[in-house]
Amino acid sequence: MKYTTQMDAARKGITTPQMEAVSRKEMISVEEIRRLMAEGKIIIPANKNHKSLEPEGVGQGLRTKINVNLGISKDCCDFELELEKVKKAIALKAEAIMDLSSYGKTQQFRQSLVEMSSAMIGTVPVYDAVGFYDKELSKITAREFLDVAEKHAKDGVDFMTIHAGINRATAERFKKNKRLTNIVSRGGSLIFAWMEITGNENPFFEYYDELLDIFEQYDVTISLGDACRPGSINDSTDASQVEELIVLGELTKRAWDRNVQVMVEGPGHMAINEIAANMIMEKRLCHGAPFYVLGPLVTDVAPGYDHITSAIGGAIAAANGADFLCYVTPAEHLRLPDLEDMKEGIIASKIAAHAADIAKGIKGAREWDFKMSDARMRLDWEGMFGLAIDGEKARRYRESSKPEFEDSCSMCGKMCAMRNVNKVLKGESISIL
């Protein structure tokens, strides 16, 4: 039996190789994977033209996944450096990479990325449009925006952020309800500016059905972008954010009617006490579609440390229903991240994702921690390094300050609790001095 997309296959009762791969990784039956995919609660972004992909599932009951942003820009157009970041992100086991390229040889970079990446690839076509056509935003036509999306689909991109929720009505709501930080989504601001300058409707909203034709043909997952995400804790959960979310819920159902897989993007900056309610609201308004969040960043005053503010919010968000975390690096709000920034962002996001998976009761999550605790109890340093999220750093710290006795560390020495209790329980004597 033929199928057009992973969702179409699920609804027809067909098990695809991608579903089987996700079932093995997640230790969940393929029947359960297929059922939740048919309902839109799990997605497997897998473009038909992405041949090097190792499929991952995103959604209900699955491990929380993380995404890494990179790409070339006018100020930082080092093609090779960005490809080095790709290799590092894959080595660190990021499940997704978003190419945010907006200048120069964007298609060449995108094609290289898809060819080499086992991780799923996302893009934001509106970023690419200005550079690709080499003309001012106001001169780009609605047709040209759609054509860029089609080029990305042909190149093998697995999911695309499409800012279709900021239509003329949403824009008017934004203008009537003043914000401290206005619109901080780059893609959202470009679409808003285009609508204001041209007087036209958002092309991704007006021609949404044509966009779905493209996504269905290549099995691209639509990531419904949150143009009105809050850029400060002052603006969270306001009229603009909520109205856009309602529109995204409607667009979700229209995509599902065409068997196009959907995830929905969310905030942004948000105080800790608002996060859980926002996760519930998204799941209700968007009918259980997987939720992809940037942060949320729980405070606005930590530039240089926003990987931490993001990880705090991400852990709370994922524990309350978010399925996919977009990493934030220490360079957020300041500059393009370098390799070390990227690593710090990935590690922080992976910690947040795993902490949430423990809370959600995801299969195998606690067992990882149990193994680490057992290695600690046995003072098995190699075992600890092998289990650590960043074993390289753990080993470096250990080797930088060697203790007198190998069965301890330089913090406690012979007062090591693990060492002494182990000895006492074995009937051995201990010497502290």
Side-chain angles (χ1 to χ4, degrees):
M1 190 183 298
K2 292 182 178 180
Y3 60 90
T4 55
T5 67
Q6 293 290 322
M7 185 177 219
D8 183 38
R11 288 173 166 176
K12 289 176 176 175
I14 300 169
T15 298
T16 66
Q18 291 83 2
M19 294 176 198
E20 290 176 341
V22 170
S23 173
R24 287 192 297 270
K25 288 180 180 180
E26 302 284 350
M27 298 180 287
I28 296 174
S29 73
V30 75
E31 291 78 16
E32 180 70 359
I33 297 287
R34 199 172 59 222
R35 179 183 70 81
L36 291 169
M37 289 187 71
E39 295 174 4
K41 294 174 182 174
I42 285 179
I43 57 173
I44 303 178
N47 188 309
K48 296 171 184 177
N49 291 340
H50 189 179
K51 306 303 182 185
S52 60
L53 177 68
E54 294 179 7
E56 294 284 356
V58 178
Q60 183 177 311
L62 307 184
R63 288 179 298 106
T64 306
K65 307 305 187 297
I66 72 160
N67 171 71
V68 172
N69 291 338
L70 44 77
I72 51 177
S73 65
K74 193 166 186 177
D75 289 320
C76 297
C77 54
D78 189 331
F79 197 103
E80 293 305 319
L81 175 60
E82 293 307 296
L83 288 179
E84 279 302 309
K85 289 182 185 177
V86 172
K87 293 173 186 175
K88 187 70 171 178
I90 293 169
L92 289 169
K93 300 181 181 178
E95 289 89 4
I97 296 171
M98 282 202 82
D99 173 17
L100 307 186
S101 295
S102 58
Y103 177 79
K105 299 177 181 178
T106 56
Q107 185 170 30
Q108 184 183 341
F109 180 79
R110 183 169 60 251
Q111 290 172 339
S112 298
L113 176 58
V114 170
E115 184 178 349
M116 71 188 288
S117 178
S118 55
M120 52 185 158
I121 302 300
T123 59
V124 189
V126 72
Y127 292 179
D128 190 24
V130 176
F132 180 79
Y133 291 115
D134 193 25
K135 58 184 180 182
E136 286 299 330
L137 179 68
S138 61
K139 303 299 181 185
I140 300 174
T141 66
R143 179 74 260 163
E144 287 172 329
F145 279 121
L146 295 181
D147 287 345
V148 168
E150 186 164 14
K151 289 180 190 300
H152 287 215
K154 285 181 179 177
D155 286 341
V157 169
D158 303 297
F159 65 96
M160 286 186 226
T161 294
I162 301 295
H163 297 90
I166 184 164
N167 55 21
R168 299 283 296 177
T170 312
E172 285 304 311
R173 177 75 66 188
F174 158 71
K175 288 190 286 186
K176 289 176 182 176
N177 294 269
K178 297 299 182 184
R179 284 178 151 189
L180 182 60
T181 50
N182 294 320
I183 292 174
V184 299
S185 158
R186 187 177 5 163
S189 69
L190 291 171
I191 292 294
F192 174 75
W194 187 88
M195 289 192 295
E196 291 294 298
I197 293 166
T198 65
N200 296 327
E201 180 58 275
N202 177 352
F204 293 122
F205 180 79
E206 185 173 7
Y207 302 105
Y208 190 64
D209 288 327
E210 289 186 40
L211 190 70
L212 294 178
D213 289 339
I214 297 167
F215 281 40
E216 182 182 23
Q217 181 181 352
Y218 296 94
D219 197 1
V220 176
T221 297
I222 190 165
S223 186
L224 290 169
D226 53 338
C228 295
R229 71 170 179 262
S232 65
I233 62 170
N234 181 78
D235 298 339
S236 60
T237 324
D238 69 351
S240 298
Q241 181 195 333
V242 175
E243 175 155 332
E244 183 184 35
L245 192 59
I246 292 169
V247 176
L248 297 183
E250 294 167 350
L251 295 173
T252 295
K253 295 184 80 172
R254 286 174 60 186
W256 286 347
D257 287 343
R258 298 288 300 279
N259 290 313
V260 172
Q261 299 184 97
V262 178
M263 62 180 161
V264 177
E265 299 185 14
H269 294 234
M270 182 170 288
I272 284 175
N273 60 307
E274 294 180 47
I275 295 174
N278 268 263
M279 301 307 108
I280 294 168
M281 180 169 62
E282 184 277 342
K283 290 289 184 176
R284 288 296 298 270
L285 292 177
C286 297
H287 320 292
F291 202 16
Y292 173 28
V293 298
L294 178 69
L297 282 73
V298 296
T299 178
D300 301 329
V301 298
Y305 298 91
D306 277 330
H307 60 311
I308 298 174
T309 63
S310 172
I312 293 168
I316 296 168
N320 285 280
D323 307 286
F324 195 18
L325 304 180
C326 185
Y327 92 151
V328 171
T329 77
E332 184 78 5
H333 302 113
L334 302 171
R335 62 167 167 81
L336 189 77
D338 62 19
L339 269 168
E340 188 57 32
D341 296 327
M342 189 189 76
K343 179 181 176 181
E344 290 293 312
I346 290 173
I347 298 300
S349 293
K350 287 178 76 72
I351 292 169
H354 179 61
D357 287 348
I358 293 170
K360 287 192 286 191
I362 297 299
K363 281 191 176 181
R366 284 178 177 266
E367 283 70 20
W368 184 7
D369 291 72
F370 296 161
K371 288 176 182 177
M372 176 62 87
S373 296
D374 177 64
R376 281 184 174 146
M377 184 273 293
R378 292 183 291 104
L379 298 168
D380 175 5
W381 300 103
E382 287 301 318
M384 289 182 242
F385 301 150
L387 288 162
I389 285 180
D390 185 359
E392 188 180 283
K393 185 174 185 178
R395 183 185 297 278
R396 189 169 69 248
Y397 271 47
R398 167 76 177 167
E399 292 178 352
S400 71
S401 182
K402 284 285 190 179
E404 182 182 358
F405 298 95
E406 188 63 26
D407 61 350
S408 65
C409 76
S410 59
M411 175 73 176
C412 299
K414 291 177 73 174
M415 290 187 183
C416 173
M418 292 290 191
R419 173 183 181 272
N420 292 335
V421 172
N422 287 348
K423 283 180 175 291
V424 169
L425 289 175
K426 288 177 183 178
E428 300 175 10
S429 64
I430 60 171
S431 172
I432 302 298
L433 299 177

